[in-house]
Each structure stands twice: as C-alpha cells, then as structure tokens.
Amino acid sequence: MSHPNSSSRCSHTLSGDITALIPLCKCSPQFRVLASKMAPFLLLFFPLFTQGLLLSAAQPSNSKTFIFRINSESKPSVFPTHYHWYSSEFAEPTSILHVYENVFHGFSAHLTQDRASSISNHSSVLSVFEDRRRLLQTTRSPQFLGLRTQRGLWSESDYGSDVIIGIFDTGIWPEHRSFSDLNLGPVPRRWKGVCEAGVKFTARNCNKKLIGARYFSKGGEAGSGSVGPVNPINETVEFRSPRDADGHGTHTASTAAGRYAFRASMSGYASGIAKGVAPKARLAVYKVCWKNLGCFDSDILAAFDVAVADGVDVISLSIGGGDGVVSPFYLDPIAIGSYGAVARGVLVSTSAGNDGPSGMSVTNSAPWLTTVGAGTIDRDFPAQVILGNGRKLSGVSLYSGKPLNGKMFELVYPGKAGLLVDSLCMENSLDPKMVKGKIVVCDRGSSPRVVKGLVVQKAGGIGMILTNGISNGEGVVGDPHVLPACSLGADEGEAIKSYIKSSANPTATIDFKGTMLGIKPAPVVASFSARGPSGLNPQILKPDLIAPGVNILAAWTNAVGPSGLDADSRRTEFNILSGTSMACPHVSGAGALLKSAHPDWSPAAIRSALMTTATISDNRNQPMIDEASGNASTPYDFGSGNLNLGLAMDPGLVYDISAHDYVNYMCSIGYVENEIQVITRIPVKCPGRKAVPENLNYPSFVALFQGASKGVSRKTFIRTVTNVGAVNSVYRVKVESQPKGVIVSVKPSELVFSDGVRKRRFVLTVTADTRNVVVGPSGAAFGSVSWTDGKHVVRSPIVITQVVPL
C-alpha cells in the first residue's frame, strides 16, 4: 500500500540509499546539506520519524487490520530491530499498529486486502489473520469460596502480597479505596512495568497496590475505520488513558485483588465488607477494551506481549466471543498470546462466555487456558410482583429509588395483539399514549436489560417487568434499573402474560425485598454461563470449573452510573454485576494465592489444584442444579465443579503439563508443524508416532467415540500425577457415578509415593457398550474417578460421548 505523496515514497525506498530521498524534500538547500551528513543517523531512525510525520495520512476506506506472524530468525542483520525490518520491507510505518516480540513474533497493520495478500506471500510470513472485535463477558463471595480471615490459604499466602495480577479489561478507577496501598510492602523487585500517563491519569495514580497501568487503543481505533488524529474514541464518555470510563475493569480488578473496604454496598444492597480474593496481590492494568469500540485482538495480543515482559504472574481476561467465528488455535490471538504467557509460567484465567444455556457455547477453550463458568452464591436480591388478582410472582431487582409502596398500576404488554408494536421494548418502539403511568411487561433479548427500562421510562412508564423467554429459562439476575423494575423467569413470565390476556383491567405493583442471605440451593449453575462441549476442542472438557458470577459486589468507576448508561446520573462506589466476567477474576485471585503459597507450581499445576478440589454439591449437600432447567447440572455445565479454595491449597496430587505436552497435543489433533510454530514462536517437530489427544495430562477425561456404530468400544487414557502432599503417601482409586452401559477401570489401583518417587503413572480405560449407554439431553453420559489417601480426595470428571449423538 502507498500514499499519494512524497513521504510514502521515502518509506518505500528506505532499504536503498536514503540520500536519494533528500532531493524530494521541499526544504532549503542548507537543510539538504545537513540531511546528507546525517544520512546514517536517518537510516536508523527513519521509520520512527515517518511514523510521526505521516500520522495524519488517511487510510483507504477499504483498509482492515491484519496480524502477521513472522519468522523472527529471517530478519536481515542490516536492520537493528524487527520494527525497522517490518516498516521497511512489509508495511509503511504509519500503517503498523503493534510490534510483537515476547509471546508472538510479528506485527499488526492497517492495510488493504490486496496489500495484506501480497505480504502473505513473503517467505518470512508464517500466517496472517484479520483483526476481530471481542466482547466483555459481563463482599460475600470470598467467604462462600471457603476463605477465612487469618486461616487457610489467605494466611499461608499472606493474601498474595508477592504476586502480580495483570487485568486485561476497560481500565481502572485508581482513586477507589479498594486499590489503597496502605500497609503494603515494597513493589516486587522483578516488576519491570510502567504507569503510562494519559487523559486524567498520571504516574502518581499508581502506588504499591496498583503498580502498573497501560492502554492499547490502536487496534480498536483502526478497526473503527480510522487511525491517528481522526479520533474514534469519544472523549466525552471515554478516557484515552488507563482510566476506566466503563466500570467493568474496575469491578474485575477489585474482585480479583481488592483491599478490605468497610461499609460497602450498592445503594444499600449487599452491605458489608467488600474484598477481593487476593486482597494484598499487586495489580497491573492493561486497558484493551473501549466504550463504543470493544476489545480488538491486535490490542489484546499487544497486552499479552507487554505483560509477560513486565513480569505479571497471573493474567485475568474476562473477554471472549465476538463475531461468532470459531478459529483454530493458530488463528486465535487469545490462544496464541496466552500460550506464550503460560509457557513462561504465567497462569491465564479466562471467562467461558455468556451464551448459555445452549450447548457448545463455551469460548476460550485452548487447553493451556483456565476457562471459568459462572455460578450463584448464597445471596440474592428478591423482588415480588403482586398482581391484581392477588397472585405473587418471585423475581429479582437492584432498583434503589423511590418504591411503589404497594400502589397498583395498570399493566400492559407490548406483545398483546393490537396494543403495541414491540414486546422487546426497543428504542422508539413504545407509544407514550399507551404506556404513560403504567407498568410495562418487556421480553428479554436483543438489547441490554437496563436499556429496556430506560426506553420504558422515556415513554412515560412508571415501572417495568422483564420476562425471560424459553431460551433463558428460570435464570434471572438483578439490575440497577433507572425505574422500578423486576426480572422474572420464563414460567413466571408466562403467568403474567396469561393474566394480562385474561383480565379486563390487569394491574400490578412491585415490592422490593432488599438483600437476603443464606439462600438455598447455592451454588447453582447460572443460566447464562456458557456450556460444553467445545466444538473446537471436544477432547478436552471445558469449562474447567465455575466460580461466583451472579450478583457480585465490587468496586465501580465514578465516570458512569450503576446501570452503565450515559443517561444515568447516579453514582455509586460499588456495583453489583453478573456474568462469567465476574467469575473469571475469582479464579485469577485464587491462582494468585496458590502461586504465592507454591511459587514453584506451574500454571497447569495450579489449575489442576483448583479443578480436582472443586465441589459438585450445593449447600444442601445435593448435586448442583442448572438454573435454566431446574434439573441436575452436568460437567458440560460446571466442568470439574465449583471453586473451593478451602481445599485447593493442599490438593494432594496434581496433573502437570509442560509446553512439550501441549505441542504433542496439537500434533495429535492434526495441526501441522508450521501451524503449531505460529503458536509456539519456535520451530517444532511432531513425533514420528502420532500422539493421541486423550493422553494430554489433563485433570479430566473425555471418552469421545468416533462414528455412529453400535457395539463395545474402548478408550484408554494415560495420566501422570505428582505428589505435592506428604512425602510418604498411598493413594487408592475410587470410580464414582459409573454410568449404565459403561465400565471404567484403572491400573494400578494404588499409587505409592516416597521421598524418591514423586510421580506415578496410571492408565484409565473406558469401555462402553453404546447399545446400552444411557445418555442425557446433552447426548453424553457422566461419571468420575477419585484418588484418595484418607485425607485428600483428588477428583476428576469423566465424559462419555460420540461425535454423532448416541
């Protein structure tokens, strides 16, 4: 690609004699003489100069952002840095957005499709992929996870004070008291990051708690159709800096590592002491998501590249999904960047996504990622809809304004034939004459829940009742609506619509009950939490586990109200949100505590400890249920179970995985060596005898039988466990919940560890008579296997399924 001006001609001839460019410059003869003498200096720094001089050059309207994976060993020695090579041989300096050096070798650039295709033919280019937009996966939870002050993991890890958590999100509100550095020790010496200044953010905003902050916007700006001074960031609602204008990043950061904050609440809801899972862990914030822009792969990959060099120990990434495209790992920048981080000992915790309860909806399924779904805790915010016929319907709400005080109002439903036009209560869809002074019933979907309330309010409605459809089931979450409002499940929603249809004068009111503790059952798998199996990676059970992700209280930005709407003038110090975005930082904080207590553990060992100690029972000592259906949940819903930090500190045994193991796994699922090198950065060699994916040393087992043939089939798994408990230990196997038609055998049935023997191997065989296997609605059967020494129980789920339904 070239720009129609002399400056772009200069950049294209950089690899030749730079003195040939001097006559092209429209400058004085004296300057030309000086420039000739400085030609060697200009050769070294010319790309940097041109990047500044040409920043205002307009990109063609058909340009896109592409990410290029380059073989770094191919760089000619004449170029002092990879950037000089890229900007000379591949793309103009003005088009280059990021250069990647640590977790990935290459660059991203804003180019036309033709230019990108031309570059892809270069012998040093290993792969090219188009930038994509990703989505955010939007007090009491630490205790619910088994953490207690002065005891257990908090005490033994000093609350994570020597561990650094990198938060990839929307930034941070640094003045919040959750990020105080009171009584914290010095910043860890290994830290190499910076506190990057920007709009309303300076180096003084960092402290011994918030030790680093950076922002990455080039990909988002280019993806919005412009670069340079043509500014797509609306600075009336956003900050070009690490400061958080959205609230999501502040919330996730404080969930993972917020300090003790007394008298915390969201307008009186969930009042008490707010604190993160690892209250003394240090925070490094990487702003990669922007209001009205989203989160772009090229910026996320740049954050991975920098965060690893900065020295983070854990990366928390509540981002996923996007355009619905499922890409293999070598075309997925999150998978690529996270592999580079994990290979350097950094635990990467990610959200599973919010597209549940549909099956195969889980995202971030690479086996080196820790993928987290969402469950409830034993706290709720009930509200009650009271109908004119006396019937009471149970729902939830976080409305904190003036109550209705039992007054009955006329009830209308936009979906009622001949009344209104839009049951979804979309913008400009409600007729003010029909809704003024009434409570409006709106169907969930197509627009944010809080936006529907604003639409009703603008049309003159006095309140709103938000009803689930069949796809959402009975799962409801509280929202801080701008008007009196309540969310109902699908069954209650049908009941209220039937009442409206059958009544000549339907009326209702809403009664807000505040905060209720000790809710049973809990945890429950959240209806929105994404479910397995992974369509891309079915041999590995995802999500790995679930953690609290419903109605979570945490710190909030002062830039926007609790609803997140620009029209919301309210301000709150804390807010209550739901999503796998909220579950992910719980596991990030848990990983930080384990890393502090066991600094020699790998990311895979930490994940194993979290998975094998997770619980599958609720607070009634019954199997966890699925919020969407009310039925028992399965490993496709919760993975290994619900996070239990009271046990994870001392798991007994762990399943460890090396970078070499991940390479063999990728070979086993059919990736060729060049594709794997895109992920690993270094050349790899697949073994002559092809590995099988079942033998990746994962803490779960998926017996995936090929084809639709009926008969007896077998799958064999080889696993190695490492003893991290008492030196002299004996573990015995126990097969639990063996499905009908399935036989699970383990050899040996006893593992003996000693001072000289820390690792033991075992073989698990699943034999299934597919004519008799009883499967559930998901098309799979489930069981589990545990190793126990009388103190520890090291549990792993087993899934039995076929590529085609049984």
Side-chain angles (χ1 to χ4, degrees):
M1 183 182 84
S2 63
H3 294 295
N5 54 47
S6 60
S7 297
S8 67
R9 292 167 60 195
C10 292
S11 68
H12 276 298
T13 55
L14 177 60
S15 56
D17 185 2
I18 197 170
T19 57
L21 306 178
I22 296 171
L24 299 175
C25 300
K26 297 180 180 180
C27 48
S28 67
Q30 293 87 348
F31 181 83
R32 293 177 185 175
V33 172
L34 178 62
S36 297
K37 294 179 179 180
M38 295 182 67
F41 175 81
L42 291 173
L43 176 61
L44 182 61
F45 291 101
F46 187 76
L48 304 179
F49 292 152
T50 55
Q51 186 173 26
L53 291 171
L54 301 183
L55 195 60
S56 62
Q59 300 288 345
S61 60
N62 62 344
S63 293
K64 299 178 180 179
T65 299
F66 297 89
I67 301 172
F68 297 86
R69 170 68 171 90
I70 307 296
N71 184 349
S72 62
E73 303 302 319
S74 300
K75 181 180 75 68
S77 59
V78 67
F79 297 102
T81 69
H82 284 91
Y83 173 78
H84 290 85
W85 178 35
Y86 301 154
S87 59
S88 171
E89 195 160 335
F90 296 98
E92 295 182 358
T94 51
S95 66
I96 293 178
L97 305 178
H98 298 293
V99 173
Y100 310 109
E101 299 178 339
N102 298 304
V103 301
F104 182 81
H105 274 310
F107 65 94
S108 57
H110 201 58
L111 305 167
T112 63
Q113 181 70 58
D114 289 345
R115 181 58 180 150
S117 298
S118 175
I119 294 174
S120 70
N121 294 323
H122 194 286
S123 60
S124 297
V125 176
L126 297 179
S127 67
V128 182
F129 33 98
E130 190 175 325
D131 203 4
R132 289 192 297 160
R133 186 196 309 266
R134 304 286 183 139
L135 302 175
L136 294 165
Q137 308 289 343
T138 267
T139 92
R140 187 172 165 79
S141 48
Q143 286 91 335
F144 190 70
L145 295 176
L147 291 175
R148 296 291 184 270
T149 305
Q150 306 301 329
R151 287 192 286 135
L153 190 51
W154 261 348
S155 175
E156 296 182 43
S157 65
D158 189 26
Y159 300 83
S161 64
D162 56 345
V163 176
I164 303 165
I165 303 175
I167 306 290
F168 291 15
D169 216 294
T170 64
I172 195 166
W173 196 262
E175 295 85 2
H176 199 284
R177 57 188 169 119
S178 293
F179 310 122
S180 166
D181 65 354
L182 182 65
N183 297 325
L184 281 182
V187 173
R189 290 186 178 181
R190 68 184 185 282
W191 176 244
K192 299 176 182 178
V194 301
C195 197
E196 187 175 1
V199 176
K200 295 187 178 180
F201 199 99
T202 71
R204 291 190 298 274
N205 287 120
C206 290
N207 56 24
K208 291 183 290 184
K209 175 66 175 180
L210 177 61
I211 64 174
R214 299 179 186 264
Y215 65 98
F216 303 83
S217 64
K218 293 179 181 178
E221 293 181 87
S224 299
S226 61
V227 294
V230 182
N231 180 12
I233 294 179
N234 183 354
E235 295 195 16
T236 63
V237 296
E238 178 60 280
F239 305 101
R240 190 185 290 275
S241 75
R243 185 170 290 278
D244 183 10
D246 179 89
H248 191 278
T250 300
H251 197 280
T252 57
S254 65
T255 300
R259 301 298 301 276
Y260 278 73
F262 296 90
R263 296 184 298 279
S265 74
M266 197 287 288
S267 302
Y269 285 101
S271 60
I273 302 172
K275 51 193 170 296
V277 177
K280 287 188 178 180
R282 316 307 172 112
L283 285 168
V285 168
Y286 300 84
K287 184 175 179 178
V288 297
C289 299
W290 301 80
K291 280 187 101 171
N292 306 323
L293 293 183
C295 327
F296 279 77
D297 279 345
S298 56
D299 292 332
I300 295 170
L301 189 56
F304 270 116
D305 204 58
V306 172
V308 169
D310 285 348
V312 301
D313 301 298
V314 176
I315 290 174
S316 188
L317 187 76
S318 292
I319 302 169
D323 54 14
V325 176
V326 178
S327 301
F329 302 142
Y330 56 84
L331 295 179
D332 180 356
I334 289 181
I336 294 168
S338 61
Y339 178 90
V342 168
R344 288 162 178 76
V346 178
L347 175 74
V348 183
S349 171
T350 59
S351 52
N354 293 344
D355 290 331
S358 300
M360 298 183 68
S361 54
V362 66
T363 64
N364 294 325
S365 62
W368 45 87
L369 289 169
T370 301
T371 310
V372 189
T376 65
I377 60 175
D378 60 344
R379 179 181 66 198
D380 206 357
F381 310 104
Q384 208 170 53
V385 175
I386 304 171
L387 303 180
N389 61 6
R391 184 172 179 179
K392 297 178 179 180
L393 306 176
S394 297
V396 297
S397 180
L398 290 170
Y399 172 71
S400 58
K402 184 179 178 181
L404 298 181
N405 293 322
K407 184 178 179 181
M408 304 298 287
F409 294 89
E410 187 176 345
L411 193 60
V412 294
Y413 173 51
K416 188 174 181 181
L419 181 61
L420 295 172
V421 295
D422 194 347
S423 66
L424 292 169
C425 299
M426 303 294 285
E427 189 73 31
N428 299 319
S429 68
L430 301 180
D431 183 353
K433 295 179 182 179
M434 304 302 294
V435 303
K436 185 175 181 181
K438 301 174 185 178
I439 295 177
V440 182
V441 177
C442 299
D443 288 335
R444 182 174 170 181
S446 299
S447 65
R449 299 182 299 271
V450 290
V451 171
K452 296 176 188 293
L454 182 62
V455 169
V456 172
Q457 185 188 60
K458 287 181 176 179
I462 198 70
M464 179 183 71
I465 297 170
L466 186 63
T467 62
N468 280 1
I470 295 175
S471 62
N472 299 116
E474 301 309 308
V476 291
V477 294
D479 292 302
H481 289 285
V482 296
L483 82 173
C486 174
S487 294
L488 299 178
D491 290 346
E492 304 281 54
E494 284 303 311
I496 199 170
K497 292 170 189 175
S498 296
Y499 166 67
I500 293 172
K501 187 176 182 180
S502 63
S503 176
N505 183 33
T507 59
T509 190
I510 307 172
D511 184 19
F512 303 98
K513 302 290 187 179
T515 303
M516 183 176 293
L517 303 179
I519 296 294
K520 292 184 179 182
V524 169
V525 179
S527 63
F528 59 77
S529 186
R531 313 302 168 93
S534 166
L536 181 66
N537 194 29
Q539 302 90 344
I540 303 297
L541 178 62
K542 291 287 182 172
D544 292 309
L545 73 167
I546 64 171
V550 178
N551 294 334
I552 303 302
L553 178 78
W556 193 244
T557 177
N558 198 44
V560 70
S563 69
L565 301 173
D566 293 336
D568 188 353
S569 61
R570 298 173 296 173
R571 293 295 180 266
T572 181
E573 188 183 19
F574 294 87
N575 202 2
I576 297 171
L577 299 182
S578 298
T580 54
S581 277
M582 287 60 255
C584 169
H586 280 88
V587 171
S588 305
L593 294 178
L594 288 174
K595 183 70 174 178
S596 181
H598 303 285
D600 58 328
W601 283 10
S602 70
I606 292 173
R607 178 181 59 197
S608 174
L610 297 172
M611 291 174 63
T612 60
T613 59
T615 57
I616 59 172
S617 299
D618 60 28
N619 54 5
R620 307 169 303 170
N621 202 30
Q622 297 293 320
M624 277 191 295
I625 65 171
D626 180 350
E627 185 181 42
S629 66
N631 299 323
S633 55
T634 75
Y636 277 167
D637 307 321
F638 56 69
S640 293
N642 188 65
L643 176 64
N644 187 336
L645 277 175
L647 299 176
M649 172 69 183
D650 181 20
L653 305 175
V654 295
Y655 294 78
D656 209 353
I657 303 176
S658 68
H660 177 71
D661 296 329
Y662 289 127
V663 169
N664 283 345
Y665 174 78
M666 287 185 278
C667 293
S668 75
I669 61 174
Y671 289 9
V672 299
E673 291 166 353
N674 285 347
E675 292 168 342
I676 298 172
Q677 186 182 347
V678 172
I679 300 170
T680 62
R681 297 172 62 248
I682 58 176
V684 299
K685 185 73 174 176
C686 286
R689 183 179 179 182
K690 186 178 179 181
V692 294
E694 291 83 4
N695 286 344
L696 180 67
N697 203 42
Y698 218 76
S700 58
F701 301 86
V702 178
L704 183 66
F705 295 108
Q706 302 289 333
S709 60
K710 302 295 183 180
V712 177
S713 300
R714 290 181 179 85
K715 279 287 182 180
T716 299
F717 304 81
I718 300 173
R719 292 290 188 272
T720 300
V721 288
T722 302
N723 180 25
V724 294
V727 173
N728 298 304
S729 302
V730 178
Y731 283 82
R732 294 177 176 85
V733 73
K734 181 180 180 182
V735 177
E736 303 146 323
S737 308
Q738 191 164 256
K740 182 180 179 181
V742 175
I743 298 174
V744 178
S745 60
V746 181
K747 295 183 179 180
S749 59
E750 183 178 276
L751 302 176
V752 180
F753 298 92
S754 63
D755 189 32
V757 180
R758 294 184 61 245
K759 294 179 183 290
R760 285 291 188 186
R761 176 177 291 188
F762 67 89
V763 177
L764 183 146
T765 302
V766 176
T767 304
D769 183 347
T770 56
R771 295 165 297 190
N772 297 316
V773 174
V774 177
V775 300
S778 63
F782 305 95
S784 64
V785 61
S786 297
W787 292 98
T788 180
D789 64 350
K791 176 185 177 182
H792 307 92
V793 176
V794 187
R795 182 186 174 280
S796 296
I798 301 172
V799 178
I800 302 98
T801 188
Q802 284 186 282
V803 173
V804 295
L806 292 173

